[in-house]
Amino acid sequence: MNEALLRSLTPSVLGILVRRGADFAAAEDAVQDALVEALRVWAADPPRDAKGWLVTVAWRKFLDATRADATRRRREDRVEEEPAPGPAPAVDDTLQLYFLCAHPALTPASAVALTLRAVGGLTTRQIAEAYLVPEATMAQRISRAKRTVSGVRFDRPGDVATVLRVLYLVFNEGYSGDVDLAAEAIRLTRQLAAAIDHPEVAGLLALMLLHHARRAARTGPDGSLVPLAEQDRGRWDTDSIAEGVAILQAALARDRLGEFQAQAAIAALHADAPTAEETDWVQIVEWYDELTRLLDSPVVRLNRAVAVGEADGPRAGLAALAALDASLPRHAAVAAYLHERDGDLATAARLYAEAAYKAPNLAERDHLTRQAARLNARRRR
């Protein structure tokens, strides 16, 4: 069973059902039921046309659900509309679905959550972690979003800003999480950049390319995490870096700065440094100051504290960190790094161990555990 194939077909099947008249919430339920059915039967009897099979089964699931509440006449009309099994049109509806999920009836936060769940394929847990909220809270938010759009007409697409935020969250999950969605997010952002002349769309594409260029160097042969400062820069994708920088420069020249352009500028400064020691941390802090004015989030301020620690020394970084909530994800890891640079190995080792306990994934947990062990070994010498 190729679960990646099922994941890739889901947006198109969902789009076909919506275009045929299904409201979004009912269409999503029908597609999910069809995917469960595919997992059950395909292993023994794979179809010749996977997409056509999913469209047919999902439509039947939708009809079955509709019949429970419809009149006899409505049921008969729906049965006549049932498509015959066979090849489905090769149309990529994914980007359109992103805009449809960003419906004006929803708040931006609810639109993002719904899109990540229904189109991006992320679990409620993954979305909750991205938003720094409990899983139960995110489940309620998604349920409310489904109820809000149930029965509404999807003829008023949402705004670009919401779609960009969704694409970036999908990219980040694919870049550092359990599901490989980074390449798909880049593909969709390229489509959007070709269709819309918007500096923030270009800024997001540049940011994705610059981050993705380092992907091959982010892990060692054994799968262990390699921090940015220790990465083999010879393994970075120079073509992607050059493309990302060119796109960013063109966007910045329009003098309409946004959060994604500012983040891309920081990534470009890292990519431009021949070695970690030659990184222009002073300019990176300046860009973080710009980003804080555009997007004053705890995560941005956490990353700024690291940059301040590199530019002005670890104690300046710790002072910046002190203003933030210690329960913030990766707060302990940043504090450990800055205390180590300041020479306080005991505190750093304790904080690395604390950060490992709270790590969101196995690779990060193993890395932080090794950092704690390394410092404890140094202290015993």
Side-chain angles (χ1 to χ4, degrees), residues 68-319:
D69 300 317
T71 64
R72 188 171 187 276
R73 176 66 177 272
R74 184 63 175 165
R75 291 199 305 268
E76 292 172 352
D77 290 342
R78 288 287 188 178
V79 168
E80 292 175 1
E81 294 172 7
E82 180 179 334
V91 178
D92 185 356
D93 298 299
T94 309
L95 192 57
Q96 180 188 10
L97 286 172
Y98 273 68
F99 274 95
L100 291 178
C101 284
H103 195 275
L106 296 172
T107 65
S110 294
V112 170
L114 178 62
T115 313
L116 290 172
R117 183 70 186 93
V119 187
L122 303 189
T123 65
T124 303
R125 176 185 59 79
Q126 290 169 320
I127 302 168
E129 289 174 353
Y131 267 86
L132 311 180
V133 299
E135 184 174 349
T137 301
M138 183 54 65
Q140 292 175 353
R141 184 180 300 178
I142 294 171
S143 295
R144 285 196 301 268
K146 288 182 179 180
R147 287 196 298 271
T148 299
V149 299
S150 179
V152 304
R153 289 183 58 83
F154 279 83
D155 54 0
R156 292 187 299 151
D159 66 350
V160 174
T162 300
V163 173
L164 291 180
R165 197 167 302 282
V166 175
L167 286 168
Y168 189 41
L169 286 170
V170 170
F171 174 81
N172 279 334
E173 188 60 43
Y175 188 64
S176 61
D178 302 324
V179 183
D180 188 3
L181 297 170
E184 173 67 0
I186 292 174
R187 183 184 72 83
L188 293 173
T189 307
R190 283 191 187 278
Q191 284 187 7
L192 188 57
I196 299 177
D197 183 18
H198 193 299
E200 272 293 83
V201 177
L204 177 58
L205 179 57
L207 176 61
M208 288 179 175
L209 290 170
L210 289 164
H211 278 318
H212 205 60
R214 302 199 299 260
R215 187 165 192 177
R218 291 185 72 246
T219 54
D222 59 353
S224 60
L225 187 66
V226 180
L228 176 61
E230 300 173 18
Q231 289 176 14
D232 178 0
R233 299 185 178 218
R235 299 185 65 197
W236 289 1
D237 184 346
T238 55
D239 289 340
S240 291
I241 291 173
E243 182 185 4
V245 169
I247 292 171
L248 173 63
Q249 289 174 338
L252 291 175
R254 301 177 64 176
D255 198 23
R256 290 169 53 193
L257 185 64
E259 61 181 273
F260 293 117
Q261 295 169 72
Q263 291 183 67
I266 294 169
L269 286 168
H270 283 297
D272 186 56
T275 65
E277 293 73 24
E278 296 173 85
T279 303
D280 189 345
W281 286 105
V282 172
Q283 194 172 167
I284 287 176
V285 172
E286 292 173 355
W287 275 110
Y288 269 119
D289 290 339
E290 291 285 349
L291 185 57
T292 300
R293 283 189 281 271
L294 293 164
L295 182 70
D296 188 11
S297 79
V299 174
V300 171
R301 289 190 174 275
L302 184 70
N303 291 332
R304 181 184 178 277
V306 176
V308 168
E310 297 288 357
D312 301 327
R315 295 193 179 182
L318 287 168

Side-chain angles (χ1 to χ4, degrees), residues 10 18 37 132 269 273 358:
T10 298
V18 170
E37 187 73 6
L132 311 180
L269 286 168
K358 299 177 180 178

